[in-house]
Amino acid sequence: MKRILLLVTVFLVAFGTVQFSATAQETAEKDYIVVLKSAQTDSASIHTLKELGAEIIFEAPQIGVVTISSEDPSILQKLEENSKILAVAEDVDIRIFDGEAEALNLQEVGKAASVQPDLYEQYQWDIKRVTQNGESWNINPGNKETLVAVIDTGVDFSHPDLKDNLVFGKAFFPGARPGEELKDSGSHGTHVAGTIAANGRVKGVGPELAIASYRVSNNQGRMNWTGILSAITTAADDGAVSANLSLGTYSIMNDKQDRALHLSSKRAVQYALQKGMLIVGANGNDGMDLGKRMKTEPGKGKVYDGPLFDTFTSIPGVISVSSSTNRDTLAYYSNYGSSNVHLASPGGDYGPNWPNPENDSSKRDLEARTLSTIPVAQGSYGWKIGTSMAAPKVAAAAALVKAQFPELKAQQIATRLQQTAEDLGKPGHDEYFGHGLVNVYSALQ
C-alpha cells in the first residue's frame, strides 16, 4: 500500500516541515523508490528496471536513485531480489497543504513612496534578532556570486523584493511545464526566499545574496521523493553554497520502508557536502523529543516504534534547526532532542498566551509571527510561523559566512555558526536550542 505523508498547516499558517499521518490507499499501479547499488544511475541498472516492466518516473542520476511505476503486484519482491538494487520501498507521496499565508493588510500600513524597508522596521523582529538590528549588513550583506538554493514549493519571480536576487529557477516534479519553475505552487517557498534575501519593503538575512529556486511541488502541492533528492544534487552541481530544506519526513531506522528513505537522502547529503554545499533543515513542528524509543499517548498506547528521526536533519552534515520565539524561548510546536538540534533560529509563534487551556484565540499576539514575502497575487507580504521560517535564516547565515570567508569549507562554516551562536537555555549545548541562537553579526566578525 502506498504511504501518504502530509505536510499540513495550522491556522492557515505554513509549518513547512512535515506533520504527517499515514493513510492506506490501494491502487492498481504503484510507484517505488529504488536505491541502486551503483553510486550513480548506470545504463545496465536502468535496463534491468525496464526489463522488469518498470516505467521510469524520475531520476536522481548523481546518486543512483530512481522512482519507478509498475502494475506488477510482484514487482517489490523482484526488485528486492535483484543484485543491482540496494534498497526499495513504496513511494512516499508528500503533499504540502501550505494554505494561504495571512497577508499583511497593506491598506493599514500604507504604500511606501519609494523602496524603503518600512515593513522591516515595523514588523521584522526576527531578522533584527539574528542580524543585530541589521549591523551584520555593514560587514557583509552578501553578493550575487554567493548562491543559496531554496528547495521548496517554488518562488514568485515577479515579487519586487526578490526579483533582483533571483538568478534562476528549476522544476523537479513529473510533468513540469516551461514557466512553472518561476512560480510558487503555494506561498511557502516565496516566504522562505524572502527570509533569506528579500531586499525591499521587507528584508532578508542576506539582502544581497543570490537565490535560486528548485521547485519540488506540482500545482496540487505534491512532491516526488526522488525529485527532492535530484533538486539537492543539482543545486550542489550549480555551485550553491547552502540549501534550505524546510520539508521532510520522519523515519524509523529499523523500518524497511524508511531504510530506503534514509539511504537515499544520506547519499544526497554526502554528494552535496563533497561538492561544498551545506544543507540546512527545519527540524519539524510536532513538539516532539526526537530520538526517543517510541511515542505513546495516554489511553492509546504506542503510536509508533522508535527511535523516530527527521529523515534529513538526522543525517550527519545537515544543520538541524529548532524554532525560537520573540522571547527567546522554544516555540511550542518546535521539535527538539539532545542529538537532533544544532542551532536555533526565530520561527515565531502567537505570543506567551498561546496555546492556552481555554483555546482562546483572542489572546494570540499576531505580531509574534514572522513576516516575509508571499506571491504578489496573494498580497505580497504575509505572516507564517514554523521551523520552516527558522531554517532559512541559518541557510542565509551560512552563505554570508562563505561570502566573508571564502576559504572555509562547508563543515567549517557549520562549525563557525555553532561557535558564534548566542547561548540560550542551559549553558552549552542543549536539547532545545542546540549550540544556541544563530548570530550572523558574530559569525562575520
Side-chain angles (χ1 to χ4, degrees), residues 123-409:
Y123 297 114
Q124 289 190 283
W125 62 268
D126 55 323
I127 303 298
K128 295 175 184 176
R129 184 70 179 87
V130 300
T131 63
Q132 198 160 310
N133 294 315
E135 286 298 315
S136 64
W137 302 332
N138 294 327
I139 303 174
N140 198 320
N143 56 64
K144 298 304 184 290
E145 288 71 48
T146 306
L147 182 67
V148 181
V150 177
I151 300 173
D152 215 291
T153 62
V155 179
D156 179 7
F157 273 63
S158 72
H159 200 291
D161 290 21
L162 296 174
K163 60 183 182 180
D164 289 343
N165 290 350
L166 285 163
V167 291
F168 61 83
K170 297 181 179 182
F172 296 84
F173 55 89
R177 297 179 179 180
E180 290 184 328
E181 72 279 4
L182 307 180
K183 299 177 182 179
D184 193 336
S185 65
S187 60
H188 193 268
T190 303
H191 200 280
V192 165
T195 302
I196 293 168
N199 197 4
R201 296 190 71 180
V202 299
K203 289 283 189 177
V205 172
E208 296 293 341
L209 289 170
I211 321 167
S213 173
Y214 296 80
R215 179 177 164 179
V216 293
S217 68
N218 65 12
N219 292 326
Q220 290 73 47
R222 295 177 179 174
M223 300 183 186
N224 178 277
W225 180 257
T226 303
I228 294 171
L229 301 181
S230 183
I232 293 171
T233 54
T234 302
D237 287 341
D238 289 338
V241 170
S242 61
N244 187 78
L245 273 181
S246 287
L247 52 88
T249 71
Y250 297 124
S251 299
I252 300 170
M253 298 305 180
N254 59 0
D255 182 87
K256 184 170 68 173
Q257 164 87 9
D258 291 344
R259 180 172 176 266
L261 298 180
H262 186 75
L263 286 173
S264 59
S265 54
K266 186 176 181 181
R267 282 189 179 185
V269 170
Q270 291 175 338
Y271 183 90
L273 289 173
Q274 289 169 1
K275 289 280 186 173
M277 186 178 81
L278 188 63
I279 297 175
V280 179
N283 207 27
N285 305 311
D286 287 302
M288 294 191 299
D289 185 352
L290 294 178
K292 293 292 186 182
R293 286 191 60 82
M294 68 180 64
K295 179 178 174 62
T296 60
E297 290 185 7
K300 295 183 179 180
K302 184 169 63 175
V303 179
Y304 49 74
D305 290 323
L308 189 72
F309 296 93
D310 178 85
T311 302
F312 280 108
T313 60
S314 65
I315 297 172
V318 176
I319 297 182
S320 174
V321 183
S322 64
S323 180
S324 62
T325 70
N326 62 1
R327 305 168 308 284
D328 287 344
T329 58
L330 186 74
Y332 69 90
Y333 53 79
S334 182
N335 288 346
Y336 57 97
S338 58
S339 61
N340 292 281
V341 178
H342 300 113
L343 288 168
S345 175
D349 69 348
Y350 286 96
N353 298 317
W354 182 268
N356 58 66
E358 300 80 23
N359 201 33
D360 183 356
S361 60
S362 68
K363 295 182 179 180
R364 294 184 297 167
D365 177 3
L366 299 182
E367 292 186 14
R369 298 173 293 175
T370 67
L371 182 73
S372 185
T373 47
I374 61 174
V376 173
Q378 297 178 29
S380 296
Y381 307 97
W383 302 96
K384 292 179 184 286
I385 64 175
T387 54
S388 284
M389 285 63 252
K393 296 177 176 74
V394 178
L400 290 172
V401 169
K402 182 67 172 180
Q404 182 71 1
F405 306 105
E407 73 280 3
L408 295 184
K409 306 299 184 185

Side-chain angles (χ1 to χ4, degrees), residues 12-211:
L12 296 181
V13 181
F15 273 42
T17 298
V18 66
Q19 298 185 19
F20 72 87
S21 58
T23 305
Q25 178 178 316
E26 294 287 356
T27 59
E29 188 174 64
K30 295 181 180 179
D31 294 346
Y32 301 87
I33 303 165
V34 179
V35 184
L36 303 174
K37 283 189 177 178
S38 171
Q40 299 176 329
T41 53
D42 57 285
S43 57
S45 296
I46 295 298
H47 180 71
T48 296
L49 293 173
K50 291 181 177 179
E51 277 192 328
L52 293 173
E55 177 187 358
I56 308 299
I57 302 298
F58 215 95
E59 293 183 50
Q62 303 97 321
I63 55 172
V65 181
V66 185
T67 295
I68 66 164
S69 181
S70 176
E71 295 181 352
D72 183 355
S74 64
I75 188 69
L76 184 59
Q77 181 179 350
K78 293 176 181 178
L79 291 169
E80 289 175 336
E81 293 173 349
N82 193 282
S83 61
K84 289 184 171 60
I85 295 170
L86 180 63
V88 61
E90 291 185 25
D91 193 16
V92 178
D93 185 7
I94 305 175
R95 308 184 186 198
I96 181 164
F97 294 109
D98 187 14
E100 292 185 5
E102 185 171 334
L104 180 68
N105 188 337
L106 292 178
Q107 291 183 339
E108 290 185 1
V109 300
K111 294 185 178 180
S114 59
V115 183
Q116 298 296 325
D118 60 320
L119 302 182
Y120 159 75
E121 295 291 352
Q122 188 170 355
Y123 297 114
Q124 289 190 283
W125 62 268
D126 55 323
I127 303 298
K128 295 175 184 176
R129 184 70 179 87
V130 300
T131 63
Q132 198 160 310
N133 294 315
E135 286 298 315
S136 64
W137 302 332
N138 294 327
I139 303 174
N140 198 320
N143 56 64
K144 298 304 184 290
E145 288 71 48
T146 306
L147 182 67
V148 181
V150 177
I151 300 173
D152 215 291
T153 62
V155 179
D156 179 7
F157 273 63
S158 72
H159 200 291
D161 290 21
L162 296 174
K163 60 183 182 180
D164 289 343
N165 290 350
L166 285 163
V167 291
F168 61 83
K170 297 181 179 182
F172 296 84
F173 55 89
R177 297 179 179 180
E180 290 184 328
E181 72 279 4
L182 307 180
K183 299 177 182 179
D184 193 336
S185 65
S187 60
H188 193 268
T190 303
H191 200 280
V192 165
T195 302
I196 293 168
N199 197 4
R201 296 190 71 180
V202 299
K203 289 283 189 177
V205 172
E208 296 293 341
L209 289 170
I211 321 167

